[in-house]
């Protein structure tokens, strides 16, 4: 059985990557190139471990409590928030390329179908800058589909972090001090009413930039204010069953400093699409979430095709009421 | 005003508009004010925008219900009905099978059933629908643009006059007129804080829109009706279909309509068979009676600089506006005169319907028809300039016999559309210097 697993190959775009090779890769920081595209994404190796999730601080919000022990497995995390340059490569990719239409290849990756984001009718950066600035205004579904696209392009499984993984990295990064926050994060008091280029503040202790501030970041979880009182200890993930509310973390250029902390939890709202005039509303874009972006992770252990499938969540159509 | 963070604006607007979306009475079949007359609503054109407009109308007034629907295509109508049925209780969506009208000419049957009609088909058909709805004495919400040719503009202007006489409310979906940030900017400009507008730049530079590729079992007419964005008789090109919003803001803020236009444009990138006959970029200079010159640019090319906004220079200062609720007025010494605060934001698409229904209930009169027609005509003037490469005056254009759209009542799926492909499947594309303006 073992042997069989080792022989199972991922065949993609002419690249053969056995799982054994993927899983035997040194657990070190690396740069993910994307074949045929001009982008690459830097990733930082994060050893798994246990930590106290949430807070005991009486002045913090009720949804950050109770503080509880959580364990997460190791993973790599994007060094930076995904930039417009990296995101637009997906948005404007011709998804019907031959490479996406060979079922046997996709099956190995647990990728059934990659759907291209619709090209937005308006400028989604609202004049705040593209290129090396962080991409914003995409739905969580779109961010996940970006991960799926990247998986299909590279043969390596990528996804969004869980809320627990995100908080683990933030807390290990030790940037959560009010006195030094200005060195590590862009937020309302120090940003010029807009986001800034990624990586222009200091990184946290793990080498991750803009974990706090600049743009809020999608995680994989449904928002439930009471989740911490019943969540499992190991690799918790509150898998979404409805479109709203979904968790965003880290705060952004529109948040005041009190929101820029590792335990603060925010969530998506229906009125982020209020200026979308169509019904159903776009699965891909918000009209009023110019402060929400994302970063990617890759689990240390490459999951089986069957396991990856649970992360590719189905689209839930948005009628503007929930 | 650093303490008024953008986030706070967003947060408080969440509370305001959340009320609109979540008011529980919207979702019930029991009207709150039972004594009030129930207003019957019909929609003609059941695409995403038509469906969106219906949902806004149903939220705008407790005692309104959808009673009839019309679309050229049954599948589009059925999708719309299905989606609306997911959003509202049956009391609000009261469309019997016999009141779902499909095909060419179906607009009449739907309009006949209603007090208020939503006209949201591709714009080529709008003049005929508007004319009929006004003749039947209906209140109207119609999307922009309101025509694709001069013949259509004339029809809309004539019917807009009759609507006014009959005291029929007409709201046109140029929603910037219903967006707080634009209304505030307009108020300040009218107060003279930036002096007279002498020039401006208006933009809709983006990546383009959807394409619906041809399918084997479609007639040429069905193909064009489904892939309508790329055919001028139906769509009018993106300078009309999208960029009208920005040109309209120039007209509104200046307070006049352009007297002439000259410009350039073409198809550089987007020129496949499924891209019909429209350009992928236009650049136009519009000249106004007071001498103001507005540079207008619109682009459908991917991977380029994107911008959707308006900027105007007055004799005393300038103004910047965008659909994202930015409105900033500054003097030339750099002094901030006004900067719009997002806390006042409401969804302009909802406000259009709130004001329409409030006006109907109170016996008021909103008459957007003439404004809608003249802003549409401004964009047509720009298109005539880029297609022909000539300078075109408003007067010559409006007095021409420019007519792109056949009578809908005479069409069927086997009719030959006004434009057809050549033997290799390509459509005739305008050639500057050769193509006549009208």
């Amino acid at each position: 059985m073992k042997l069989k697993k080792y022989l199972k190959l991922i065949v993609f775009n002419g690249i053969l990557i056995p799982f054994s090779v993927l899983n035997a890769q040194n657990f070190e920081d690396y740069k993910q190139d994307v074949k045929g595209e001009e982008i690459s994404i830097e990733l930082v190796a994060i050893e798994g471990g246990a930590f106290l999730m949430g807070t005991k601080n009486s002045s913090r919000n009720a949804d950050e409590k109770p503080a509880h022990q959580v364990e997460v497995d190791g993973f790599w995390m994007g060094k930076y928030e995904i930039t417009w340059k990296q995101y637009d490569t997906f948005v404007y990719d011709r998804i019907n390329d031959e490479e996406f239409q060979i079922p046997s290849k996709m099956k190995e990756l647990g990728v059934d179908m990659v759907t291209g984001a619709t090209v937005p009718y308006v400028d989604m950066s609202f004049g705040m800058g593209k290129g090396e600035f962080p991409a914003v205004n995409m739905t969580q579904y779109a961010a996940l589909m970006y991960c799926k696209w990247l998986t299909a392009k590279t043969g390596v499984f990528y996804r969004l972090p869980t809320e627990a993984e995100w908080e683990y990295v933030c807390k290990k990064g030790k940037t959560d001090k009010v006195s030094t926050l200005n060195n590590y994060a862009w937020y309302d008091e120090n940003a010029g009413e807009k986001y800034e280029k990624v990586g222009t503040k200091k990184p946290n202790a793990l080498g991750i930039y803009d974990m706090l501030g600049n743009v809020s970041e999608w995680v994989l979880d449904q928002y439930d204010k009471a989740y911490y009182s019943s969540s499992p200890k190991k690799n918790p993930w509150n898998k979404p069953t409805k479109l709203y509310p979904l968790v965003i973390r880290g705060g952004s250029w529109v948040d005041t400093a009190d929101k820029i902390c590792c335990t603060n939890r925010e969530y998506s709202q229906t009125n982020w699409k209020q200026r979308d005039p169509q019904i159903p509303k776009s699965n891909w874009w918000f009209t009023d979430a110019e402060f929400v972006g994302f970063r990617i992770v890759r689990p240390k252990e490459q999951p089986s095709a069957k396991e990856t499938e649970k992360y590719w969540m189905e689209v839930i159509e948005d009628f503007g009421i929930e | 005003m650093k303490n008024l963070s953008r986030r706070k604006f967003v947060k408080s607007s969440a509370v305001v508009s959340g009320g609109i979306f979540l008011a529980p009475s919207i979702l019930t079949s029991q009207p709150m004010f039972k004594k009030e007359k129930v207003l019957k609503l019909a929609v003609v054109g059941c695409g995403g925008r038509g469906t969106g407009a219906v949902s806004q109308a149903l939220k705008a007034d407790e005692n309104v219900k959808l009673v009839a629907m019309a679309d050229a295509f049954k599948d589009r109508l059925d999708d719309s009905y299905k989606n609306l049925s997911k959003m509202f209780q049956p009391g609000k969506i009261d469309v019997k099978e016999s009141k779902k009208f499909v095909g060419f000419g179906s607009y009449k049957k739907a309009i006949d059933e209603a007090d208020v009609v939503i006209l949201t088909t591709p714009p080529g058909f709008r003049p005929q629908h508007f004319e009929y709805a006004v003749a039947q004495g209906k209140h109207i919400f119609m999307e922009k643009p309101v025509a694709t040719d001069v013949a259509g503009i004339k029809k809309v202007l004539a019917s807009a006059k009759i609507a006014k006489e009959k005291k029929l409310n007409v709201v046109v979906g140029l929603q910037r007129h219903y967006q707080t940030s634009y209304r505030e900017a307009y108020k300040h400009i009218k107060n003279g804080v930036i002096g007279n507008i002498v020039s401006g730049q208006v933009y809709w530079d983006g990546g383009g829109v959807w394409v619906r590729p041809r399918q084997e079992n479609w007639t040429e007419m069905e193909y064009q009706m489904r892939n309508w964005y790329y055919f001028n008789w139906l769509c009018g090109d993106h300078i009309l279909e999208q960029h009208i919003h920005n040109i309209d803001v120039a007209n509104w803020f200046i307070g006049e309509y352009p007297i002439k236009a000259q410009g350039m444009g073409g198809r550089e990138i987007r020129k496949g068979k499924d891209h019909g006959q429209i350009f992928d970029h236009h650049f136009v200079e519009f000249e106004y009676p007071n001498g103001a010159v507005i540079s207008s640019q619109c682009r459908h090319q991917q991977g380029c600089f994107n911008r959707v906004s308006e900027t105007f220079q007055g004799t005393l200062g300038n103004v910047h506006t965008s659909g994202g609720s930015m409105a900033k007025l500054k003097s030339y010494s750099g002094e901030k005169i006004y900067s719009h605060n997002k806390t006042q934001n409401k969804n302009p698409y909802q406000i259009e319907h709130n004001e329409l229904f409030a006006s109907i209930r109170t016996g008021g009169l909103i008459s957007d028809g003439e404004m809608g027609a003249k802003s549409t005509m401004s964009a047509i003037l720009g298109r005539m300039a880029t297609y022909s490469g000539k300078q075109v005056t408003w007067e010559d254009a409006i007095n021409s016999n420019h007519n792109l759209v056949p009578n809908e009542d005479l069409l069927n799926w086997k009719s030959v559309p006004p434009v057809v492909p050549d033997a290799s499947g390509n459509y005739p594309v305008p050639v500057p210097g050769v193509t006549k303006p009208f």
Side-chain angles (χ1 to χ4, degrees), chain A residues 8-57:
Chain A
K8 200 172 179 185
L9 300 181
I10 291 171
V11 185
F12 178 73
N13 208 13
I15 314 168
L16 309 177
I17 314 173
F19 276 131
S20 56
V21 173
L22 272 177
N23 287 334
Q25 180 178 335
N26 288 340
F27 195 50
E28 291 170 351
D29 300 358
Y30 72 102
K31 190 184 267 192
Q32 176 67 64
D33 292 322
V34 184
K35 200 179 177 218
E37 307 290 352
E38 286 174 6
I39 59 166
S40 59
I41 298 172
E42 290 186 62
L43 290 113
V44 176
I46 313 280
E47 288 289 358
F51 76 113
L52 192 67
M53 189 167 180
T55 182
K56 291 175 177 167
N57 184 337

Side-chain angles (χ1 to χ4, degrees), chain B residues 242-345:
Chain B
Q242 282 184 330
H243 190 37
I244 182 177
H245 282 297
N246 320 97
I247 297 169
D248 168 63
V249 172
N251 296 343
W252 181 23
F253 286 2
I254 292 172
E256 296 180 314
Y257 295 93
I259 49 174
K260 54 186 166 188
Q262 74 88 23
M264 58 190 75
R267 276 157 77 98
E268 190 64 35
I269 309 295
R270 186 180 60 187
K271 45 191 178 185
K273 284 177 182 151
D274 280 323
H275 301 137
Q277 50 176 173
I278 71 172
F279 281 2
D280 62 11
H281 65 287
H282 303 253
F283 189 101
V284 182
E285 281 179 355
F286 289 105
E287 198 177 318
Y288 286 73
N290 71 350
V293 176
I294 299 297
S295 305
S296 124
Q297 54 176 289
C298 57
R299 177 164 59 195
H300 275 189
Q301 293 173 354
Q302 300 183 357
C304 300
F305 174 67
N306 288 342
R307 180 171 185 171
V308 181
S309 66
E310 306 86 22
T311 298
F312 303 97
Q313 295 78 40
T315 47
L316 302 174
N318 56 34
V319 53
H320 299 269
T321 48
S322 84
S325 288
M326 177 181 67
K328 284 182 182 165
L329 284 80
K330 274 187 195 164
S331 74
Y332 286 118
S333 58
E335 184 201 347
K336 199 187 269 184
I337 300 170
Y338 174 74
S339 184
H340 182 67
N341 174 334
K342 256 191 164 182
T343 44
Q344 295 155 20
N345 269 11

